[in-house]
Amino acid sequence: MEPRGRPGPLERARSVVVPFPGLDTDERAAVARVIPSGRSLLLAFAALAAGLAALLLARETSLFAVERVDVRGAPPGVTRQVEKALADVRGESLLSVDAVRLRTVLESLPTVRAASLDRAFPHRLVVDVVPEQAVAVVRQGASAWLVSDRGRVMVAVARRVRPGLPRVWVPRTVPLEAGSIATGELRTAVTAVAPLQALRFPGHVAAVASTGRELTMRLRGGLLVQLGEPGDVRLKLAVAARILPLLEPGTAYLDVSVPERPVAGTTLDSKVEGETTSSSDT
């Protein structure tokens, strides 16, 4: 047994100090400078708490309440529809406006193709709208509908509205509803007339008919432009646009179904006449 005045092995082990390897005094001082002090951490958390409190206050009070909705890029009629759809936003804090949800609401409008929203502090909500572009009037009995370049049914209109747009006749069995996308032969016919404005087509297209695998346009003067199968429509229209000013008076049809070999004539076969008589606008 060891003398009582000296510590035993267990007690000596408990009192051993293990130095931190690899760090001298200067290095430990450098580490201490990098680690923030308790006072710094306290101030940082206080600033964060104050910021969160200010954000919550701004969201729940009228500090940034929406007082005005500015709609840009849309014609007056579409602007009114957008403003009506966003009527409930007035008075809501800009910080709590759900831009994603509102964009979905606006793009569900039959006349709106795309929309984006931007907060203009302190009190304005700015809405940029890309409206649908009407390219045809779809006639179904006594009813008429505007249809956009991507086949979206926009709105019911009076029969003789927008006389500059081609008419597309469809049977009553074709479902037409504002906001729906046209399918089948109606979609084919609308796709055919969509490029006309961009091409500056020299003739006024009064009607377009899609019957199975054949597309035919009737111009206001009665001339028929036969496009054939609904492929390469833009190319066929471009060829027709170059040839139309060169045609002799009395020409009854222009066939560009094979755009490399366009054909014009003064008589119509009964098949073409039968297809296009139902396309007259009454």
Side-chain angles (χ1 to χ4, degrees), residues 16-33:
V16 171
V17 176
V18 180
F20 193 86
L23 290 179
D24 56 21
T25 304
D26 292 338
E27 290 173 331
R28 286 196 294 271
V31 171
R33 285 195 297 270

Side-chain angles (χ1 to χ4, degrees), residues 28-192:
R28 286 196 294 271
V31 171
R33 285 195 297 270
V34 173
I35 299 174
S37 65
R39 184 172 181 274
S40 298
L41 290 174
L42 181 61
L43 291 175
F45 283 121
L48 177 61
L52 291 175
L55 179 61
L56 291 174
L57 181 65
R59 286 174 60 92
E60 301 300 328
T61 67
S62 60
L63 181 61
F64 296 122
V66 177
E67 296 180 358
R68 196 173 78 192
V69 176
D70 291 342
V71 182
R72 305 186 304 197
V78 178
T79 296
R80 288 192 292 271
Q81 294 175 10
V82 170
E83 290 175 341
K84 183 177 179 181
L86 297 178
D88 293 342
V89 176
R90 294 183 183 276
E92 183 178 343
S93 173
L94 282 172
L95 295 172
S96 61
V97 167
D98 188 341
V100 175
R101 181 185 68 82
L102 293 179
R103 185 176 69 240
T104 301
V105 170
L106 294 180
E107 292 178 354
S108 68
L109 297 175
T111 54
V112 174
R113 184 172 192 145
S116 61
L117 297 93
D118 187 28
R119 300 171 179 87
F121 290 95
H123 300 297
R124 284 193 310 132
L125 183 65
V126 179
V127 185
D128 288 299
V129 174
V130 178
E132 295 281 4
Q133 298 296 325
V135 297
V137 175
V138 175
R139 290 293 311 276
Q140 189 179 57
S143 302
W145 299 80
L146 282 181
V147 179
S148 76
D149 56 344
R150 62 185 182 126
R152 192 177 193 186
V153 181
M154 297 169 59
V155 63
V157 293
R159 288 185 300 172
R160 299 188 182 278
V161 77
R162 304 288 292 271
L165 294 180
R167 265 49 181 171
V168 181
W169 285 79
V170 296
R172 296 181 184 276
T173 54
V174 174
L176 292 175
E177 182 181 1
S180 63
I181 301 294
T183 59
E185 292 184 0
L186 174 56
R187 179 67 175 271
T188 301
V190 171
T191 302

Side-chain angles (χ1 to χ4, degrees), residues 226-244:
Q226 296 173 266
L227 301 174
E229 294 183 353
D232 297 325
V233 172
R234 183 176 288 271
L235 173 61
K236 295 172 183 177
L237 290 175
V239 171
R242 292 178 65 88
I243 295 176
L244 282 174

Side-chain angles (χ1 to χ4, degrees), residues 164-228:
L165 294 180
R167 265 49 181 171
V168 181
W169 285 79
V170 296
R172 296 181 184 276
T173 54
V174 174
L176 292 175
E177 182 181 1
S180 63
I181 301 294
T183 59
E185 292 184 0
L186 174 56
R187 179 67 175 271
T188 301
V190 171
T191 302
V193 298
L196 290 175
Q197 186 174 0
L199 291 172
R200 297 184 179 180
F201 200 74
H204 177 86
V205 178
V208 58
S210 174
T211 55
R213 299 174 61 186
E214 297 291 325
L215 268 171
T216 304
M217 298 191 310
R218 180 172 60 82
L219 305 190
R220 181 168 288 176
L223 185 142
L224 296 178
V225 179
Q226 296 173 266
L227 301 174

